[in-house]
Amino acid sequence: MFDIKFLGAVQGLGFSALLALGMVAQARAQAYPPYGPDIPVITNTEGASGAYGKDLQKEPAPNPWNHESIWNMRVEGYNDNQARPIYQPLVVNQDGREILYTGNLAGTALNPLTGVSESNGTSIIDVTDVRSPRFLYHIPGPAPIAGSYAAAGAQMVRVCGGNTLPNASTNGTSGHWYLLRAFGNAGADESHQIWDVTNPSAPKFVATIISGLSNTHKSWWECDTGIAYLVAGSAADGWQQSGSKQHLYIYDLSNPAKPTFIRQFGLVGQQPTAPVATAQPCATAPSDTCYEGTTNPPSGLHGPISMGTTVNRIYIPYGVSTDGVIQILDRSKVLNGCLTGGPVGSNPDASAHCANSPTQADLLWPQISWITLNPENGGHSSMPIFNVPIPEEQSNFLDESPQSKSLLFVSSEATANNCYGQAPHDSWILDISSETTPWPIATLNVPQFPGNFCGKGARFGAHAVTEAIYPPYYGKIISVSWFNAGVRIWDIRDPKNPKPVAYYIQAPTANTESSCSTINGVTKCFNATMNDYVEYDDRGYIYAADRAGTGVTILSLTGEARAAILPQSDQ
């Protein structure tokens, strides 16, 4: 089994005193990836038979498509985000204030704070008082190109405290907060930027890390090490991908004003020197010129997740919605694999051009394993949860000691309105206890009926697995955004038998953008909401961000969903 040696015990798990408020006690903030190296400890709170045959409550059918639907959750607050469609929300405890940053998709909207219509970029909202969120600032996205805002948007956000970054005193980051964002959703001059958000009401531009890109997407920034894994691509870099033409650019952002390039990285078969015209699949024709996955060249990556120095692993999904691959990497070998000597992970046989044009051997050096999805599904998310107790294996099996498994939650993104022309897109639980042989053990699924989700307009299907680590939820529940079927939450204390325990589907408003599809020559449009991402803050509030411009809803758990996160003594 892949056991993790933890750096510290979980703090702040006193639930009972705050049950009347519907919330649990605040856990130690920002000690977990990407803010620090700690991994929460998970205790077993299930009986010996686990969840098998023990659904406490039947899931109710949702209301009609233009009404709110809610089960085992409560609405605590809301902000309309100036009607800007949200891709990714991120909540940071910033010197005692809870600040919500949203990466917004392409378009333009009026900013009431300035009275000016601004290209969609990054929103900054104070959610310390969840019942009265305050919109603080909007950092605009790119200017229109030939009158079109299609290139606008700044869909990705990460934030690090300068006190947490390495060498804070030397680099002058002490007391500051920094925002990493993608700049642009399309076009030939996208980039990744750093902003100083110490005063979230008055951000200041710091630096452009890399520009001249044709693709950007969802990056990862380790605050305690400064290492940033940027999703990017350009025609000039020579890398080869199908679908989303993007791979990894890795930088040291310990000093955000002076980014230091480390290397580029991707899947075998994507490197600039890969012989795409003649390459054969590694699975059936392994060679030193093969490609990994089901398509040649392999599909671009979506968003890496590094579990930092404790776990020393990086998990990368490729393919987004089709031709998916999930890859597990040795973090030290990724970061140091182009060095021929010195730090842990260095490769004595690294090629001379490893940093920008690696050989197949350079790319294989850090790879622990990869698993191919079926071609009709892609790799959108790959979120690990370590050492989850298996209820039925707490006695008798193996050496009779309590057993646990490390898991990887994977999703494939639905991209078609009204389901037309696309297979269903679900989420899966993979057992990665044996890292070299990942294996699926369960499926997280939302059926189209009841709810008629394929007929209500917009997208229906899985999108993203929540990446935030909040210890009371960790290993107990998992949240997945399901577009027009809303926020979906499962009880995963028995991961072989995950149970749906909560959902929230936002009602459309006057701001909700229309989604259209043409089926058999007939075009229909609906103003259906689309939950794009689910985020947790360090108080346990849950944030549902809408892709169709309907804003962000702040939620808490009730009923069976809340019971799932409680210690056994309180159940």
Side-chain angles (χ1 to χ4, degrees), residues 130-322:
V130 294
R131 291 169 180 80
S132 300
R134 293 190 302 117
F135 198 104
L136 301 178
Y137 200 88
H138 176 252
I139 309 174
I145 298 174
S148 171
Y149 282 91
Q155 58 191 352
M156 182 281 300
V157 286
R158 296 290 179 194
V159 174
C160 283
N163 292 345
T164 305
L165 291 169
N167 306 312
S169 296
T170 301
N171 292 332
T173 64
S174 297
H176 290 261
W177 291 82
Y178 297 95
L179 165 74
L180 167 65
R181 73 168 189 164
F183 184 69
N185 287 336
D189 195 21
E190 301 177 52
S191 63
H192 286 281
Q193 299 178 337
I194 292 284
W195 287 70
D196 186 321
V197 291
T198 307
N199 179 356
S201 297
K204 298 177 181 178
F205 176 76
V206 174
T208 294
I209 303 166
I210 182 173
S211 60
L213 302 171
S214 58
N215 286 74
T216 62
H217 211 62
K218 196 161 185 285
S219 302
W220 188 268
W221 190 9
E222 298 174 2
C223 297
D224 58 324
T225 69
I227 301 299
Y229 306 85
L230 307 183
V231 177
S234 73
D237 62 34
W239 283 69
Q240 306 172 90
Q241 302 97 15
S242 298
S244 300
K245 299 188 182 303
Q246 54 205 26
H247 55 284
L248 277 189
Y249 281 72
I250 304 176
Y251 280 81
D252 184 346
L253 300 183
S254 297
N255 185 345
K258 297 179 179 179
T260 301
F261 173 73
I262 296 176
R263 70 177 299 183
Q264 298 182 62
F265 190 84
L267 204 61
V268 166
Q270 295 180 334
Q271 68 271 25
T273 58
V276 173
T278 58
Q280 297 296 310
C282 298
T284 57
S287 71
D288 57 3
T289 59
C290 61
Y291 65 88
E292 294 177 333
T294 60
T295 188
N296 182 26
S299 300
L301 69 85
H302 182 266
I305 292 180
S306 169
M307 284 290 104
T309 56
T310 298
V311 181
N312 194 36
R313 294 292 182 267
I314 303 171
Y315 303 87
I316 302 183
Y318 296 82
V320 184
S321 61
T322 58

Side-chain angles (χ1 to χ4, degrees), residues 1-6 37 39 310-311 313 315 386-387 406:
M1 175 175 290
F2 179 34
D3 289 323
I4 307 300
K5 303 302 182 185
F6 303 110
I39 301 296
T310 298
V311 181
R313 294 292 182 267
Y315 303 87
F386 301 107
N387 297 321
S406 292

